[in-house]
């Protein structure tokens, strides 16, 4: 029931209105009207995010377009794309990352500079024309892009010479159009994956094989019993050496994208990671007419520093300089001590969650009861709930808590916020 610029809601809508809109769409005469724009503050920042609120009756038309386009493009989108798609979301993106990024050496993190606001209309319509031949449908989509918005009583047209770019945030169509646009990036990265892929299996480390052969020889000569202390030292040395080579004889590239956020995992050298980042940046600039934020784009050595993605901290299975834990397994009548297999560790970005709760005034920093020189987060008064009954207030707080715990349901540190 939220109104747009014209203050008209779904109240009083009838079948005659639906039939009139149907005829206008069939005749190709339907035009979208400007939306109402508001500014939403970004948590923990002084910046704001523009949000366009269209008329609820026009949202019916947008939803109809979405249902038609989605059925077609869902058959074309790749497995690496997870944002704003049926039966997909942040959880499927993180599961994809956990499955594919186990052996990555470097992570390419890239962040678009206002991707939704800078998508070129001409480039987007060109991509749509590759699959859509109906001129009325194309005209309808173009009308939704160029409708403009009203802010502080002033009309801002998204027309030349002021500009022909941007998919309005808040529009039902905007996420799908963004996915269609960035599908070209998905295809390009798939091409790079094929181009850089090398080797069918990881080659053995010569240093590891040398010590391993010595261990086998000692066992054959039964030195393991006669010289047990030296043999134990030899096994310890074997466990400290990587069993496989980490060079460009075996290269794999993996990629996951959620809307305009994506990361690329490189199992290979830093040089390859640099080449891929350069090529992707050039493709984004030249083909998609978008730019990366230089402050948030770069290459992270996975074994030395964690990466942030979709509100999660992702840490490598094994950090540099830390010995792998050991485990004992039973093989026949023998107990074998070996290095334990560690998987990617996905944790909640606790600092980000606490700042979000603080900005929404659920908590604030107050003096600790135990140490008066230390500040700690504690619950605080939330004035906008003052007129609610106690059960409603409790239900509201419980819904916030459930939302956090559901989103971070598989994070290793989700209990730290309790």
């Amino acid at each position: 029931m939220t109104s747009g610029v014209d203050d008209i809601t779904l109240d009083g809508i009838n079948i005659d209105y639906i039939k009139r809109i149907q005829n206008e769409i069939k005749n190709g005469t339907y035009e979208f009207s400007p939306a109402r724009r508001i500014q939403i503050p970004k948590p923990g920042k002084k910046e704001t995010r523009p949000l366009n609120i269209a008329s609820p009756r026009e949202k019916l038309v947008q939803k109809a377009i979405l249902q038609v386009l989605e059925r077609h493009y869902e058959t074309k989108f790749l497995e690496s794309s997870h944002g704003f798609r049926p039966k997909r979301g942040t959880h499927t993106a993180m599961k994809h990352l956990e499955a594919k990024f186990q052996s990555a050496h470097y992570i390419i993190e890239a962040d678009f500079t206002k991707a939704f606001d800078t998508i070129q209309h001409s480039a987007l319509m060109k991509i749509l024309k590759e699959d859509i031949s109906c001129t009325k449908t194309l005209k309808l989509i173009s009308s939704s892009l160029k409708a403009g918005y009203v802010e502080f009583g002033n009309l801002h047209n998204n027309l030349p010479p002021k500009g022909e770019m941007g998919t309005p945030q808040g529009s039902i169509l905007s996420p799908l159009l963004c996915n269609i646009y960035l599908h070209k990036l998905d295809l390009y990265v798939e091409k790079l994956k094929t181009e850089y892929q090398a080797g069918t299996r990881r080659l053995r480390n010569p240093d590891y094989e040398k010590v391993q052969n010595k261990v086998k020889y000692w066992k054959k000569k039964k030195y393991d019993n006669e010289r047990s202390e030296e043999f134990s030292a030899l096994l310890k040395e074997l466990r400290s050496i990587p069993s496989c080579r980490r060079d460009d004889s075996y290269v794999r590239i993996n990629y996951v994208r959620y809307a305009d956020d994506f990361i690329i995992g490189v199992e290979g050298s830093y040089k390859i990671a640099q080449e891929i980042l350069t090529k992707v940046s050039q493709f984004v600039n030249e083909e998609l007419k978008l730019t990366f934020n230089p402050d948030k784009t770069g290459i992270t050595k996975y074994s030395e520093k964690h990466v942030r993605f979709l509100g999660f901290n992702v840490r490598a299975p094994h950090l540099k300089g830390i010995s792998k834990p050991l485990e004992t397994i039973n093989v026949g009548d023998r107990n074998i001590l070996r290095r334990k297999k560690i998987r990617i560790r996905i944790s909640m970005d606790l600092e980000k969650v606490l700042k979000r709760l603080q900005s929404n005034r659920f908590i604030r920093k107050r003096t600790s009861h135990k140490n008066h020189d230390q500040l700690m987060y504690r619950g605080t008064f939330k004035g906008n709930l003052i007129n609610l009954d106690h059960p409603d207030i409790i239900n509201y707080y419980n819904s916030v808590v459930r939302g956090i715990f559901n989103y971070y349901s598989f994070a290793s540190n989700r209990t730290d916020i309790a």
Side-chain angles (χ1 to χ4, degrees):
M1 300 302 290
T2 304
S3 62
V5 174
D6 53 12
D7 294 329
I8 297 176
T9 65
L10 294 178
D11 187 30
I13 196 170
N14 54 36
I15 192 65
D16 292 332
Y17 175 83
I18 299 296
K19 289 181 177 179
R20 179 169 63 84
I21 296 301
Q22 283 179 337
N23 290 330
E24 288 184 10
I25 292 174
K26 290 178 181 177
N27 296 331
T29 58
Y30 185 88
E31 293 284 343
F32 284 94
S33 58
R36 176 167 61 93
R37 172 168 285 193
I38 60 174
Q39 298 291 334
I40 305 296
K42 292 184 178 181
K45 298 181 181 179
K46 295 182 179 180
E47 303 175 22
T48 59
R49 178 182 290 107
L51 180 67
N52 287 9
I53 302 175
S55 165
R57 299 194 178 193
E58 290 192 346
K59 287 182 180 179
L60 295 177
V61 181
Q62 292 180 5
K63 186 65 176 180
I65 299 172
L66 175 71
Q67 288 179 333
V68 173
L69 294 184
E70 195 172 64
R71 290 183 64 183
H72 172 74
Y73 281 101
E74 275 299 313
T75 62
K76 298 173 67 69
F77 291 154
L78 304 183
E79 286 295 314
S80 56
S81 172
H82 294 265
F84 304 106
R85 293 182 59 190
K87 298 182 181 179
R88 287 171 175 262
T90 53
H91 283 195
T92 59
M94 297 308 298
K95 288 176 182 176
H96 180 100
L97 184 150
E98 184 182 22
K100 301 293 184 179
F101 283 58
Q102 291 292 337
S103 302
H105 302 165
Y106 297 95
I107 301 293
I108 299 174
E109 298 177 87
D111 184 79
F112 289 102
T113 302
K114 297 183 177 180
F116 282 83
D117 297 332
T118 55
I119 290 178
Q120 301 287 331
H121 290 177
S122 57
L124 175 58
M125 296 307 297
K126 182 180 178 181
I127 292 173
L128 291 170
K129 287 177 183 178
E130 294 176 4
D131 296 283
I132 302 173
S133 58
C134 177
T135 55
K136 293 178 182 178
T137 302
L138 292 170
K139 182 182 176 183
L140 196 60
I141 297 172
S142 178
S143 173
S144 72
L145 293 172
K146 297 178 180 179
Y149 60 92
V150 173
E151 187 175 23
F152 304 119
N154 297 320
L155 174 64
H156 300 266
N157 285 324
N158 200 354
L159 296 169
K162 294 181 181 179
E164 262 191 326
M165 64 174 63
T167 57
Q169 295 191 49
S171 166
I172 293 175
L173 272 178
S174 188
L176 177 61
L177 295 178
C178 181
N179 272 338
I180 293 171
Y181 198 71
L182 295 180
H183 177 62
K184 292 292 183 181
L185 174 63
D186 300 345
L187 294 174
Y188 180 72
V189 176
E190 286 296 318
K191 178 183 173 184
L192 289 179
K193 287 170 64 174
T194 305
E195 178 184 333
Y196 279 94
Q197 181 171 308
T200 55
R201 57 176 297 178
R202 297 179 184 88
L203 298 179
R204 303 287 285 178
N205 184 350
D207 295 334
Y208 182 87
E209 287 188 326
K210 182 179 178 180
V211 179
Q212 187 183 46
N213 290 334
K214 188 174 181 179
V215 168
K216 291 178 180 179
Y217 178 78
W218 276 46
K219 285 183 178 180
K220 183 179 179 181
K221 294 293 186 179
K222 301 188 183 305
Y223 293 161
D224 52 332
N225 295 324
E226 298 173 8
R227 300 157 66 180
S228 58
E229 290 187 6
E230 294 180 56
F231 185 73
S232 296
L234 194 62
L235 289 177
K236 187 176 180 180
E237 181 185 359
L238 182 65
R239 290 191 294 266
S240 67
I241 303 172
S243 60
C244 296
R245 289 164 52 180
R246 296 176 69 92
D247 55 27
D248 291 344
S249 61
Y250 183 87
V251 178
R252 291 293 184 272
I253 310 299
N254 288 294
Y255 164 78
V256 59
R257 178 176 67 83
Y258 183 92
D260 59 337
D261 293 329
F262 73 89
I263 58 175
I264 300 174
V266 179
E267 187 174 356
S269 64
Y270 184 76
K271 180 182 177 183
I272 289 179
Q274 282 183 313
E275 290 178 3
I276 291 174
L277 177 57
T278 300
K279 289 183 178 181
V280 170
S281 299
Q282 289 176 348
F283 178 83
V284 166
N285 290 333
E286 297 172 5
E287 299 296 326
L288 299 182
K289 311 300 180 184
L290 300 175
T291 57
F292 286 145
N293 184 342
D295 296 330
K296 298 181 180 180
T297 301
I299 301 171
T300 301
K301 191 170 184 180
Y302 203 25
S303 61
E304 295 181 358
K305 185 181 177 182
H306 70 267
V307 296
R308 290 180 176 177
F309 187 59
L310 303 180
F312 292 88
N313 287 332
V314 184
R315 290 176 171 82
H318 178 63
L319 297 179
K320 185 177 180 181
I322 299 177
S323 300
K324 282 188 177 181
L326 305 176
E327 64 177 353
T328 302
I329 62 170
N330 184 266
V331 180
D333 58 346
R334 295 186 304 152
N335 291 328
I336 298 177
L337 189 66
R338 69 176 187 181
R339 284 176 288 198
K340 189 175 181 179
K341 174 65 177 177
I342 310 174
R343 298 190 64 81
I344 283 176
R345 292 164 292 171
I346 299 176
S347 60
M348 174 196 303
D349 190 344
L350 190 59
E351 182 182 353
K352 182 177 181 179
V353 175
L354 291 175
K355 284 184 177 179
R356 177 69 64 87
L357 290 173
Q358 185 180 20
S359 66
N360 290 330
R361 300 190 177 181
F362 287 99
I363 59 174
R364 69 184 179 96
K365 284 189 174 181
R366 306 174 75 177
T367 304
S368 172
H369 291 304
K370 296 181 179 180
N371 184 356
H372 293 175
D373 295 328
Q374 182 181 354
L375 296 177
M376 63 177 292
Y377 282 110
R378 291 166 60 188
T380 186
F381 168 73
K382 195 165 175 62
N384 60 341
L385 304 179
I386 194 171
N387 294 321
L388 297 181
D389 295 331
H390 286 177
D392 294 330
I393 294 174
I394 293 172
N395 287 335
Y396 176 72
Y397 272 91
N398 283 341
S399 69
V400 173
V401 173
R402 281 196 305 271
I404 294 173
F405 277 88
N406 286 340
Y407 187 81
Y408 294 103
S409 58
F410 52 86
S412 59
N413 65 334
R414 61 188 178 278
T415 57
D416 290 354
I417 199 170

